[in-house]
Amino acid sequence: RGGDAVVAFVGAAIGRKDYDEAGRIISGCLMVDLLSALIVYALLCTITASLSFCGLRIDEVGLFLVYGLSIVFSSTNFTCEAIFRVLDKTAWLFWNAFFFGLLKAIAMLTLLLLGYGLAAVVVTLVTLTALNCAGLLFLALRACRVGVVHSLRWRNALSQFQGSYKSFILHGY
């Protein structure tokens, strides 16, 4: 729910011209999104390892884990989309979605026409998802620099975020 927090609190911070707070909220939300996705992926690996002992084929387990990487890659998407909305850069979001949607369609059509199997489809989708998410994150960070938020601090993002976190919890995020 980092995107909801960005919309609710970054907009208010920018309205108060408190760009340091806006930067702390954005960097904290992105870090929380990424850390929670890594925890989910660790749980997925544990569950998948348990299932492999129960008779799931090893190639199916591998594909499942590769596809699970898309959870990690796309963990910051909603927060990035919220950054675009708050900073009024929705055209950037449109072009990113258009470009990668077209790229996925071309890749899937090519794999279908060439007769590749499920493994190629999964690996291609995960690779394109990773590229899309990296592009979205790059553009969101670029929008922060072009916009009014210049104070993204990654080194102490979570500790700086703690003051805002209590406010997020009280608001139901």
Side-chain angles (χ1 to χ4, degrees):
R1 305 238 1 220
D4 295 331
V6 166
V7 169
F9 295 104
V10 170
I14 290 172
R16 292 188 314 268
K17 298 192 184 312
D18 188 357
Y19 304 126
D20 287 333
E21 177 71 10
R24 279 193 299 273
I25 293 169
I26 289 172
S27 57
C29 286
L30 289 171
M31 293 296 287
V32 168
D33 286 345
L34 187 59
L35 288 174
S36 62
L38 290 172
I39 291 169
V40 167
Y41 188 69
L43 288 171
L44 182 69
C45 290
T46 304
I47 291 168
T48 305
S50 300
L51 290 175
S52 68
F53 290 120
C54 296
L56 196 63
R57 291 190 346 232
I58 195 70
D59 58 338
E60 293 169 343
V61 170
L63 285 178
F64 193 64
L65 290 176
V66 168
Y67 184 72
L69 285 175
S70 66
I71 295 169
V72 175
F73 293 139
S74 62
S75 64
T76 59
N77 282 4
F78 189 55
T79 300
C80 290
E81 291 168 5
I83 292 169
F84 290 126
R85 286 194 303 273
V86 167
L87 298 178
D88 199 27
K89 301 288 184 191
T90 53
W92 293 17
L93 181 61
F94 166 78
W95 286 112
N96 178 272
F98 174 78
F99 174 73
F100 279 102
L102 183 64
L103 191 60
K104 281 182 185 179
I106 291 169
M108 292 303 108
L109 185 60
T110 302
L111 291 174
L112 178 69
L113 291 175
L114 295 177
Y116 285 98
L118 179 63
V121 169
V122 169
V123 169
T124 302
L125 281 176
V126 170
T127 302
L128 289 176
T129 299
L131 289 174
N132 181 28
C133 297
L136 198 61
L137 186 59
F138 172 78
L139 288 174
L141 295 176
R142 181 79 180 139
C144 288
R145 288 196 184 111
V146 170
V148 293
V149 182
H150 300 284
S151 58
L152 293 176
R153 290 175 174 55
W154 300 106
R155 179 170 288 160
N156 300 319
L158 293 178
S159 63
Q160 292 174 355
F161 186 61
Q162 286 176 346
S164 302
Y165 187 71
K166 186 176 183 181
S167 176
F168 294 159
I169 298 300
L170 292 175
H171 282 86
Y173 292 103

